[in-house]
């Protein structure tokens, strides 16, 4: 890096977050030879969620800003919980979000031989021992936050004995839990993480990558610090709960002939209202069938958000806006939705869809006539072009757009009232037909003003309401899934004692409407395409669609001005 480049970095450091400031300091002091290398290390035991997006956005963003690289590393040294399905899903989600690991795709499991050799090195230095205490005894001997731990009777084994036992652990001579390799640090350390933590344990389980080669697997802290060092990571960014384990991260690297010593820096994890982000809880929702799968559009997983209609840009913009911090806090989900609307507003074509149809017969419109209206796909962007929408004697409007006894401030259709049909004509309601038995309104009889074509009249008469509509004969029947937050309590992680997070589930998080009518142009809409349904919000075509039978997911509503008015009134 040139001197002026460094100066610029120093200047801009004033407005940087604490992680970027630290990186700038390191660059200025010549650490790591001016290199910045980060990693995103998911454990393949579940799908990625919006919290992981925060981590990726940070790691990948930092690497890009400082001309470095960001590795994607599978933290896959626990053979039991990990599945190949997750490895594929994670890569797909990372790519979708727009992060490119380039040549830097790694698997911690590929380093097990090196971890083994580093462990041997610790044994040779008298800094690790094979412990034959049972798991329960190890727990007892560990002590508590207020009392020191106790040395294991096996702590003084000789180097030779430890080397022999560790090799026999590798050979499969012992049962699971019979013994474990521990770092020899300090059983009286105030930080419990430093009380001779286990670094290799026995697991007679095949691994997706190494097969039956290993029956011992490294523990997280040991594998993680060494993986970072093996990959020459410069800054190892992780969430705050690892702060207490940083001394162990450093101890490992200080006590083996490690190629380098990355700097661990902790930041606050993302937490969102009305959402759980624990993989354990998300897995439970999937396993118990509370949601339809990891990609259920109500899930905070990237695959769920994608299916719901989120754009990668909306998620990245949100992650950048929340920034990074040193204290945990809960972000309003409304903020995520703000960035979502902001992006969708720019990119989604407008269409008309009637979710709860009410038939309107225009008595003075010629019976067999069909007209076409030209409608712009985006009122803000002429380049988005136009489309043709048919109009005929029978149209559907929204049930809630008619009121027999309109309350004050209601400007939509009611008996004797005139409104505008968007892109088409002025329409006056003459009478409502009711089902004799139920009293339900089944259709409206209206008349239109032929002079109001396109939305105005020669006499300049004004109407207050503009309704969306579809032409009955040409419209396509669609299923629409109205999603809401999966939880009805703002903090589902803090439900009252004796209940679990499932008691906070929102029973109305999915409402399915099967008789919606949409513009004919949407008959073949391809899964993943996004639209703004006028006056309703943003919708995305679900993969459950088939040609002529589209299924739409509500991504997010528009802010409902009527609901706001009602609240005020
Ligand atoms: P869990 O403990 O719920 O299973 P995890 O944090 O262990 O999740 P990993 O797959 O290990 O999940 O996470 C990969 C990376 O993503 C880690 O660096 C982790 O710190 C980061 N990460 C996970 N959850 C969040 C979150 N909510 N906010 C920010 N970063 C996160
Ligand atoms: Mg983890």
């Amino acid at each position: 890096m040139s001197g002026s480049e460094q100066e610029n970095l120093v200047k801009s450091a004033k407005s940087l977050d604490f992680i970027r400031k630290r990186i700038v300091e390191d660059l200025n002091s010549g650490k790591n030879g001016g290199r910045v290398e980060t990693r995103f290390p998911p454990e393949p035991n579940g799908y990625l969620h919006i919290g992981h997006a925060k981590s990726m956005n940070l790691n990948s963003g930092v690497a890009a800003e400082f001309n470095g690289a960001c590795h994607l590393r599978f933290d896959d040294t626990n053979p039991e919980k990990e599945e190949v399905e997750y490895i594929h899903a994670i890569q797909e989600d990372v790519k979708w979000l727009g992060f490119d690991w380039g040549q830097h795709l790694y698997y911690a499991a590929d380093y097990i031989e090196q971890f083994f050799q580093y462990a041997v090195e610790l044994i040779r230095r008298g800094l690790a021992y094979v412990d034959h205490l049972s798991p329960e005894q190890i727990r007892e001997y560990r002590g508590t936050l207020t009392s020191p731990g106790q040395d294991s009777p096996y702590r003084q084994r000789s180097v030779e004995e430890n080397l022999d036992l560790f090799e026999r652990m590798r050979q499969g001579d012992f049962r699971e839990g019979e013994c474990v390799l521990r770092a020899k640090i300090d059983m009286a350390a105030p930080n419990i993480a430093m009380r001779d933590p286990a670094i290799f344990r026995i697991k007679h389980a095949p691994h997706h990558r190494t097969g039956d080669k290993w029956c011992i697997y490294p523990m997280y802290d040991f594998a993680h610090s060494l993986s970072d060092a093996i990959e020459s990571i410069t800054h190892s960014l992780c969430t705050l709960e690892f702060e207490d384990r940083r001394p162990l991260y450093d101890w490992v690297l200080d006590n083996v002939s490690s190629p380098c010593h990355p700097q661990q820096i902790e930041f606050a994890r993302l937490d969102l209202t009305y959402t759980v982000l624990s993989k354990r809880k998300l897995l439970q929702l999937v396993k118990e069938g509370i949601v339809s799968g990891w990609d259920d559009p109500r899930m905070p997983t990237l695959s769920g958000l994608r299916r719901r209609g989120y754009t990668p840009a909306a998620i990245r913009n949100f992650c950048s806006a929340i920034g990074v911090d040193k204290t945990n806090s809960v972000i309003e989900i409304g903020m995520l939705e703000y960035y979502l609307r902001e992006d969708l507003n720019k990119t989604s074509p407008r269409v008309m869809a009637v979710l709860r149809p009410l038939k309107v017969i225009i008595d003075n419109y010629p019976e067999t006539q069909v007209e076409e209206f030209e409608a712009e796909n985006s009122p803000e962007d002429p380049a988005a072009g136009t489309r043709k929408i048919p109009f005929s004697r029978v149209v559907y409007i929204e049930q809630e757009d008619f009121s027999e006894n309109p309350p004050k401030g209601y400007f939509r259709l009611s008996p004797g009232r005139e409104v505008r049909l968007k892109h088409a004509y002025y329409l006056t309601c003459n009478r409502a037909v009711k089902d004799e038995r139920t009293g339900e309104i089944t259709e409206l009889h209206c008349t239109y003003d032929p002079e109001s074509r396109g939305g105005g009249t020669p006499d300049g008469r004004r109407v207050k309401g503009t309704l969306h509509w579809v032409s009955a004969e040409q419209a396509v029947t669609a299923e629409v899934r109205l999603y809401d937050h999966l939880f009805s309590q703002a903090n589902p992680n803090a439900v009252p004692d004796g209940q679990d997070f499932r008691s906070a589930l929102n029973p109305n998080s999915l409402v399915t409407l099967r008789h919606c009518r949409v513009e004919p142009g949407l008959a073949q809409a391809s899964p993943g395409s996004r639209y703004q349904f006028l006056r309703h919000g943003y919708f995305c075509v679900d993969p459950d669609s088939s040609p002529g039978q589209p299924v739409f997911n509500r991504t997010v509503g528009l802010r409902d001005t009527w609901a706001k008015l009602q609240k005020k009134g």
Side-chain angles (χ1 to χ4, degrees), residues 40-43 49 51-52 54-55 237-239 267 269-270 277-279:
F40 172 63
E43 182 176 353
H49 55 59
H52 294 114
K54 174 178 179 177
S55 173
L237 313 179
C238 63
T239 41
F267 63 95
R269 65 192 297 120
L270 173 66
L277 289 180
S278 137
K279 274 197 262 181

Side-chain angles (χ1 to χ4, degrees), residues 4 113 130-131 134 242 264 300 310 322 363 389 484 493-494 527 561:
S4 67
E113 178 67 40
V130 173
D131 194 352
S134 70
F242 289 98
Q264 173 176 313
Y310 273 75
I322 57 176
D363 291 311
I389 35 180
D484 199 351
N493 296 303
T561 46

Side-chain angles (χ1 to χ4, degrees), residues 377-446:
N377 292 330
S378 163
E380 277 125 60
D381 178 15
T386 60
R387 68 192 185 286
K388 291 203 160 64
I389 35 180
F391 184 83
S392 65
R393 183 180 155 90
V394 183
V395 298
Y396 288 111
I397 64 167
E398 225 45 82
Q399 286 168 16
E400 63 176 20
D401 282 343
F402 175 77
S403 171
E404 223 179 355
N405 304 298
K408 194 166 164 271
Y410 184 94
F411 299 123
R412 311 178 206 177
L413 205 55
S414 58
R417 166 101 44 93
E418 188 172 47
V419 297
R420 178 191 290 108
L421 291 181
K422 178 84 178 172
H423 302 303
Y425 291 108
Y426 280 18
L427 183 84
T428 305
C429 178
N430 303 313
R431 87 192 147 86
V433 179
K434 286 187 190 168
D435 183 308
E436 277 178 16
R437 213 167 32 83
T438 61
E440 198 184 316
I441 296 168
T442 53
E443 59 185 42
L444 302 179
H445 282 270
C446 299

Side-chain angles (χ1 to χ4, degrees), residues 118 121 225-226 229-230 252-262:
Y118 283 123
E121 190 181 345
S225 52
L226 288 170
I230 289 167
V252 170
L253 298 181
D254 285 340
N255 287 288
V256 298
S257 50
S258 140
C260 63
H261 192 138

